[in-house]
Amino acid sequence: MRGQASGGHAAAAEGSDGDAGPLRRLLLGLVLLGMAGLGAELVLLEHTESAWQWVPLVALGLGFASAAAVALRPSPRTLRPFQAVMALFVAAGALGVYLHFRGNVEWELESYASLRGTALFWAALHGATPALAPGALAQLGLLGLALAHRHPALRRHTPH
């Protein structure tokens, strides 16, 4: 196996992955960079007023921990929790889009009670709360799931 001679568990795991090892490292770097940026943005925006606003912050904390574990030692014991957290990112991102959009709809109806249909939809998309911003969390989750998909450390440790 390519990579085993260079030593280390991570090298062996990525060595059986053909040329995908560098791509997996790039994806992990992008996920970590995205989590850092999104976390900083949420803290700067003081996204902590309600329990729902803490969901992405807690998810990001779990994401950092699980991504660090995968970076240090890719194995089923680190990749499976990472996959679960990335799936949580996707779900939390979708929930966030819904909550942001719903909040904007409520705000628009309080301000302009006669809005309906397409006009209400577009007004809510352009509302004060960025309706699609939570999609960034879902995107990070999809990137994380892509890097873990068919990871050689999962194949190598799977009992037959």
Side-chain angles (χ1 to χ4, degrees):
M1 271 187 206
R2 182 185 72 127
Q4 278 185 316
S6 62
H9 181 31
E14 296 209 24
S16 64
D17 201 15
D19 290 337
L23 179 60
R24 288 188 198 284
R25 287 188 297 275
L26 175 64
L27 289 174
L28 185 58
L30 289 172
V31 169
L32 286 164
L33 182 64
M35 286 190 296
L38 191 53
E41 179 79 9
L42 291 171
V43 168
L44 290 172
L45 289 173
E46 298 177 1
H47 199 269
T48 57
E49 292 178 10
S50 72
W52 285 116
Q53 288 188 344
W54 278 95
V55 169
L57 291 165
V58 170
L60 287 167
L62 294 171
F64 272 114
S66 65
V70 167
L72 294 173
R73 187 183 268 302
S75 71
R77 294 181 90 178
T78 60
L79 283 159
R80 292 296 182 207
F82 177 78
Q83 288 174 312
V85 172
M86 293 300 106
L88 173 67
F89 276 26
V90 174
L95 176 63
V97 167
Y98 169 76
L99 292 173
H100 280 210
F101 183 79
R102 187 186 74 186
N104 285 345
V105 165
E106 291 171 3
W107 174 262
E108 293 299 330
L109 288 174
E110 286 178 18
S111 301
Y112 308 98
S114 64
L115 274 180
R116 297 283 182 265
T118 306
L120 177 59
F121 176 80
W122 286 111
L125 281 181
H126 291 96
T129 304
L132 301 178
L137 187 63
Q139 183 179 11
L140 288 175
L142 292 172
L143 276 174
L145 290 171
L147 92 86
H149 179 69
R150 301 178 95 179
H151 196 288
L154 292 173
R155 285 194 306 267
R156 195 167 50 85
H157 290 288
T158 303
H160 298 293

